[in-house]
Amino acid sequence: MNILVYLEERNGQIRKPSLEAIGAAHGLGGTVSVAIIGSAPSAVIDQARKLNVSAIYTASEPRLAEYSSSATGCALAAIAKQAGADVVLVGATGRGKDLAPRVAIRLEAGYVPDVVALSNEGGDIIATHPVYAGKAQMSVKVTTSTKVYSTRPNLWKAPKDSATSEPAIHAVAVNFADSNFAEQTKELILSQGKLDVAEADIIVSGGRGMRGPENWPLIEDLAQAFGAATGASRAVVDAGWRPHSEQVGQTGKTVSPTLYVAVGISGAVQHLAGMSSAKTIVAINKDENAPIFSIVDYGVVGDAFEILPALTAEINKLRGH
Amino acid sequence: MNILVCVSQVPDTTTRINVAADGKSMDPAGVKFILNPYDELAVEEGLRLRDKHKGEVTVITVGADSAKEALRQALAMGADKGILVKADKQDSFQVAEMLAAAIMPLNPDLILLGKQSIDFDGMEMAPMLSELLNLPCATVAVGLTIDGTTAKAEKEVEGGREVISLTMPCIIAAQKGLNDPRYPSLPNIMKAKQKPIQEIVGTPSAARTAIVGMTKPDKKRANKIVKADGDANAAAHELARLLHEEAKVI
């Protein structure tokens, strides 16, 4: 089985979800190659050499100095054909979730988005895809000969730099159409110094129980102690206390962090759907009958306004701050 | 401006999902179906652009007769007419193909849709349509401005926003934050009943994926509850100890 993994880069570095996709590829077994596409892909080739892959395919195009999903999809499909890929894996990032379906259409391939598990059962690949924001999950088999999947971040281990042999490097010439550049990414504006809830390993979320936006420093202090991102329930986003980008739940972000701390969140079905795949779940709530307590690993029944500062101090102590 | 909005019908967010007897699908018994919340943003954006630039808003969906209800909700918000592509659908590739076939002869100036439908959460429809219709596309859009033959979209990505420039016509997939969708007024709900819904028969290609099973997550949780009982410091200390020594997450 030939598996091709797309390597997404940001600021000259291969992004972690792409490395995790290599981890997923090794889990399936087979020959693993990677694709690097950009205006000057040579910048990340050296990083890719250290990965344990058998080949590196590159496509270089000056117009890709301004990222285009359409052009990148065109190039990745061309590379998949040249590499004879049976499986194409793309990390399910903001860009990856646009890219993978394009490749599926171009290769006439079945596609399963945002998979959380991939297994090879006697040659049949079974992909697990959460649906209804994680309230259920589907096992899906792709029935076309070429198969495309995007893999959810934070679930597979990135391979260690352990290349034992030098991978073969192939530069692929791609026939782009002008229409591939009808969309161009002009700039990426990063929110300064803020961890994104969708990518964070630890999340501290606040809900109605925080009583008002003026009390958010308590959430932010605990988040800082953990090195966590801050999240919010739908109720507080709808009330305008916190930005949409922080909302966790069915109409917000679906997250799978190592640790999720819900403070003053009662636990509506749509919120639980967005975070129930977290490895460890903690809730702090005044109401011991709050539904959130039914799905936690650890819960504290008590006043968040007293517990948060005390917990922040404890975590700072543990982490040696 | 000829604006087309693709919508879908999904279970309400308060729904508790149960697996049907076939072991592969959701049991629809007792489930309330709604217009996909992200599609409401797309309809709203379409209405605002129509009011600014003149023209009309057409809403389209693929599904059974019952999917007309989602079209009626969009019409009640103010869309002008609806199209139902009647078909059984097994995967998103088929839906994209049937939508593309129905959209192609309409030559819309702008195609809007929600960034994802909250049933299968795949986020694949906009890029698939982009490929099939050969039109540029921006997804997860929290900002959109149209200036003659170009559009500028702000896409929410991990840790920030991308500014994407697109030539018109184009496809935009809406994210929360793009606008605040209106609630349909009672007179508009009544008016929507008179608005035309055209029916087209869709012909799906062979499915490219097969669902093997559907299950509900059954992760076992430690479920240890500490009661503060007035001693917040002791409770915080115990929680920190559990996270450190037992869960080993810090």
Side-chain angles (χ1 to χ4, degrees):
Chain A
M1 182 160 53
N2 283 327
I3 306 173
L4 180 69
V5 180
Y6 170 69
L7 298 187
E8 181 181 335
E9 66 157 292
R10 188 185 269 185
N11 299 328
Q13 296 292 318
I14 300 170
R15 295 195 63 199
K16 191 165 153 261
S18 299
L19 298 173
E20 291 163 1
I22 295 177
H26 284 310
L28 281 176
T31 309
V32 181
S33 307
V34 294
I36 300 170
I37 298 160
S39 56
S42 55
V44 291
I45 291 176
D46 284 341
Q47 294 164 48
R49 273 181 213 272
K50 300 193 189 102
L51 304 167
N52 200 8
V53 296
S54 57
I56 299 172
Y57 291 85
T58 68
S60 181
E61 164 60 43
R63 285 176 288 182
L64 275 173
E66 289 178 332
Y67 178 82
S68 152
S69 175
S70 169
T72 307
C74 172
L76 185 54
I79 289 173
K81 279 182 191 160
Q82 180 156 337
D86 304 299
V87 174
V88 180
L89 296 184
V90 178
T93 61
R95 285 186 176 181
K97 283 191 253 190
D98 284 359
L99 186 60
R102 290 180 179 282
V103 175
I105 295 280
R106 284 179 174 269
L107 299 176
E108 279 278 319
Y111 167 57
V112 189
D114 204 23
V115 302
V116 296
L118 274 176
S119 62
N120 186 342
E121 297 178 11
D124 272 348
I125 298 174
I126 304 294
T128 307
H129 165 216
V131 289
Y132 309 104
K135 290 176 191 170
Q137 49 190 32
M138 289 195 318
S139 309
V140 184
K141 212 166 87 173
V142 174
T143 51
T144 49
S145 57
T146 310
K147 300 160 173 58
V148 181
Y149 306 92
S150 59
T151 52
R152 181 177 289 189
N154 275 342
L155 296 175
W156 281 274
K157 281 203 168 64
K160 297 213 168 63
D161 287 351
S162 63
T164 45
S165 59
E166 180 75 3
I169 298 181
H170 308 279
V172 177
V174 180
N175 288 320
F176 292 102
D178 283 345
S179 61
N180 287 138
F181 300 93
E183 55 178 63
Q184 287 181 308
T185 302
K186 294 293 179 189
E187 55 180 324
L188 169 61
I189 305 162
L190 293 174
S191 323
Q192 284 303 319
K194 273 200 79 183
L195 256 173
D196 191 286
V197 71
E199 296 202 301
D201 202 36
I202 301 179
I203 297 168
V204 180
S205 280
R208 276 269 186 209
M210 291 306 294
R211 291 189 217 143
E214 67 279 7
N215 297 320
W216 239 257
L218 290 171
I219 296 283
E220 281 158 354
D221 287 350
L222 180 60
Q224 193 174 6
F226 274 121
T230 56
S233 70
R234 182 166 79 184
V236 308
V237 170
D238 285 350
W241 298 0
R242 303 300 299 169
H244 293 300
S245 55
E246 289 189 4
Q247 186 185 326
V248 173
Q250 193 165 10
T251 53
K253 306 267 166 61
T254 302
V255 296
S256 307
T258 309
L259 173 63
Y260 187 87
V261 183
V263 187
I265 294 177
S266 62
V269 176
Q270 62 82 21
H271 186 80
L272 303 186
M275 41 64 84
S276 58
S277 63
K279 187 164 162 268
T280 300
I281 297 174
V282 170
I284 300 169
N285 206 299
K286 236 171 23 187
D287 175 10
E288 63 180 302
N289 296 316
I292 189 112
F293 283 126
S294 66
I295 63 143
V296 298
D297 294 285
Y298 307 106
V300 176
V301 180
D303 184 348
F305 292 86
E306 292 173 8
I307 290 161
L308 283 174
L311 184 60
T312 301
E314 291 285 345
I315 301 302
N316 274 331
K317 218 179 340 174
L318 276 174
R319 300 190 76 214
H321 288 170
Chain B
M1 189 180 264
N2 176 9
I3 300 164
L4 196 99
V5 186
C6 309
V7 301
S8 64
Q9 193 179 39
V10 297
D12 191 6
T13 53
T14 56
T15 308
R16 288 175 198 278
I17 301 295
N18 291 311
V19 179
D22 68 359
K24 297 180 182 184
S25 59
M26 181 195 71
D27 181 356
V31 173
K32 184 184 165 214
F33 287 90
I34 57 168
L35 174 62
N36 178 38
Y38 293 110
D39 296 342
E40 288 181 11
L41 300 158
V43 173
E44 178 64 37
E45 198 66 13
L47 298 177
R48 291 183 190 195
L49 288 166
R50 176 196 65 188
D51 294 345
K52 195 171 161 195
H53 299 277
K54 306 283 178 263
E56 63 177 8
V57 174
T58 306
V59 287
I60 185 169
T61 193
V62 177
D65 258 328
S66 53
K68 270 191 197 161
E69 197 46 45
L71 293 176
R72 289 278 173 221
Q73 287 175 51
L75 294 172
M77 286 177 72
D80 300 290
K81 56 186 191 184
I83 301 173
L84 170 67
V85 182
K86 273 178 85 163
D88 278 337
K89 43 185 183 181
Q90 287 166 287
D91 64 26
S92 52
F93 202 130
Q94 294 175 323
V95 174
E97 284 178 318
M98 289 187 279
L99 274 178
I103 291 170
M104 197 103 63
L106 303 175
N107 284 316
D109 301 302
L110 177 68
I111 298 171
L112 293 161
L113 64 167
K115 66 151 181 155
Q116 74 193 69
S117 60
I118 60 162
D119 47 9
F120 290 176
D121 298 321
M123 304 182 79
E124 69 273 71
M125 199 47 58
M128 283 184 166
L129 288 175
S130 170
E131 289 294 322
L132 293 168
L133 295 167
N134 198 25
L135 293 176
C137 157
T139 59
V140 204
V142 291
L144 174 66
T145 49
I146 291 171
D147 182 12
T149 55
T150 58
K152 199 174 82 177
E154 279 186 49
K155 173 184 178 177
E156 191 182 280
V157 295
E158 303 87 343
R161 290 176 177 196
E162 289 179 342
V163 180
I164 301 173
S165 158
L166 310 101
T167 60
M168 298 284 283
C170 66
I171 302 169
I172 304 291
Q175 159 72 324
K176 256 196 171 188
L178 183 64
N179 55 45
D180 284 315
R182 68 194 68 186
Y183 291 104
S185 66
L186 193 58
N188 282 341
I189 292 172
M190 300 311 288
K191 258 192 255 171
K193 292 182 178 160
Q194 308 305 322
K195 290 179 180 174
I197 293 180
Q198 183 195 352
E199 290 188 21
I200 302 176
V201 176
T203 41
S205 58
R208 293 165 182 84
T209 59
I211 297 169
V212 180
M214 184 187 275
T215 53
K216 292 175 72 168
D218 59 345
K219 196 165 166 20
K220 294 277 176 288
R221 299 281 179 185
N223 211 241
K224 291 192 180 166
I225 309 291
V226 180
K227 291 195 179 164
D229 284 332
D231 193 346
N233 288 329
H237 182 78
E238 175 61 4
L239 177 58
R241 187 193 68 78
L242 288 166
L243 291 176
H244 182 57
E245 292 175 10
E246 202 175 277
K248 296 188 166 63
V249 287
I250 46 167

